[in-house]
Amino acid sequence: MSRCVALSGGVGGAKLALGLSKAMLPEELLVIANTGDDFDHLGLRICPDIDTVSYTLGELANLELGWGRRDESWSFMETLGSLGGDTWFNLGDRDLALHVERTRRLQAGETLSAVTADVAKRFGITSAIVPMSDDDVRTIVDTAGGPLAFQHYFVREKCAPKVTGFRFAGASDARPSPAFREAFEAASPELVIICPSNPFISIDPILALPGVRGMLAGTVAPIVAISPIVGGKAIKGPTAKMMDELGLPATALGVAEHYAGLIDGFVLDKMDADEEDAVRALGPDVLVTNTVMKSLDDRVSLAREVVAFSRQLSAK
Ligand code: FO1
């Protein structure tokens, strides 16, 4: 049974997921990974957030890059470049093997859930890593210069275009994956965590799936979000830049406003303690603590604090 369901994007979410897997029995954790970033490239299915979570929980992640595998080599990319191939999206040699094998298995008819679960098992991971959906959902970033497929915006254009909005193509026809639905249908989870991931491109695609907001509204479990914005800056990635461009305050309060009505608890960094009252006024209870996760100890202690905070909320 899954006591804790964590909704996650890539690096920030994966760090907390690793902490959670060590703050509880790993089998008690189910991580729902965003698949809006997925795309087909060089004939391969690439699933960046699933892979970042899997590499992180498998302790195989490339910590310098924040994506891909550690101990990586780049012969494939170098050779591809020398042949005049497309090199804007970097696929390391070890990482490449995962994309090749996943693509083969998907083409043979397996679901993304099945492939993801098998890869996690082979990495020695005992927490469940579940794609948000087995159906294709693709994030489109609307920019001042027109719409861009997510990885074109994020990697090829290096997040430079000014964002005007987001769309999740395919979401309205997609179903949440079976394990995602079962986590709420069989018995309620004990807690639901919205990881410190980008609200617009990592969490909103999950929330856009039909039925997900209903599952969250219907659960007795407390829903706790952790701010990915600390001191007006994103720990990693373009969250603060996007908020600026969308005309939203790039603050923890701005993130809490985005989740207002959905969450019971909000965790913000000590650096943003002056926003506590304004967040409380929106409805959720607030935990103010250190949220910047540099070391493994930081990840585990934040996870423990979030779990303890959630328990207090359930007891209310
Ligand atoms: N991010 C980059 O900034 N540049 C890359 O070349 C790149 C390659 C890449 C390959 C596999 C993978 O799983 C992720 C990769 N990422 C790369 C990260 C990824 O595009 C984004 O971090 C996520 O989609 C946002 O969560």
Side-chain angles (χ1 to χ4, degrees), residues 120-305:
K121 196 168 145 206
R122 287 170 190 274
F123 287 173
I125 300 167
T126 49
S127 301
I129 302 173
V130 172
M132 65 183 199
S133 178
D134 286 330
D135 303 318
D136 292 352
V137 177
R138 297 292 174 258
T139 298
I140 311 286
V141 184
D142 284 318
T143 76
L148 286 171
F150 180 77
Q151 296 296 346
H152 288 179
Y153 163 79
F154 196 93
V155 176
R156 199 188 65 193
E157 306 296 325
K158 301 184 170 58
C159 305
K162 190 173 176 232
V163 165
T164 55
F166 304 93
R167 282 173 288 146
F168 309 112
S172 54
D173 299 318
R175 298 195 75 199
S177 58
F180 188 7
R181 292 197 308 270
E182 278 156 24
F184 287 86
E185 279 164 10
S188 182
E190 278 181 38
L191 66 125
V192 177
I193 292 175
I194 300 180
C195 288
S197 298
N198 185 311
F200 309 101
I201 55 173
S202 299
I203 303 299
D204 281 358
I206 306 177
L207 300 178
L209 295 168
V212 168
R213 280 186 182 271
M215 290 192 315
L216 295 176
T219 185
V220 294
I223 302 175
V224 174
I226 297 96
S227 177
I229 297 277
V230 174
K233 294 199 181 86
I235 302 288
K236 190 163 189 337
T239 313
K241 177 179 181 282
M242 286 175 174
M243 293 178 94
D244 275 343
E245 292 169 355
L246 294 169
L248 302 169
T251 58
L253 175 60
V255 175
E257 279 167 347
H258 187 76
Y259 291 134
L262 175 74
I263 55 171
D264 306 294
F266 191 74
V267 183
L268 52 78
D269 195 83
K270 281 186 177 156
M271 202 186 271
D272 300 315
D274 57 339
E275 295 173 31
E276 179 179 354
D277 291 345
V279 174
R280 270 185 208 283
L282 296 170
D285 240 316
V286 178
L287 170 70
V288 181
T289 187
N290 291 317
T291 64
V292 182
M293 295 174 281
K294 292 210 176 97
S295 65
L296 179 60
D297 280 353
D298 295 339
R299 292 164 207 202
V300 179
S301 51
L302 178 60
R304 288 207 175 109
E305 285 193 73

Side-chain angles (χ1 to χ4, degrees), residues 9-11 34 36-39 46-52 55 65-69 74 77 87-92 95 98-99 102 150-151 154-156 158-159 198 201-202 236 238:
V11 55
N34 167 45
D37 297 11
D38 294 11
F39 77 134
I46 317 287
C47 305
D49 289 353
I50 290 177
D51 293 351
T52 299
Y55 288 147
L65 290 175
W67 46 269
R69 269 184 84 136
W74 302 92
M77 286 312 290
T87 55
W88 61 270
F89 195 81
N90 294 287
L91 296 172
D95 189 36
L98 172 54
H99 309 308
R102 172 169 46 220
F150 180 77
Q151 296 296 346
F154 196 93
V155 176
R156 199 188 65 193
K158 301 184 170 58
C159 305
N198 185 311
I201 55 173
S202 299
K236 190 163 189 337

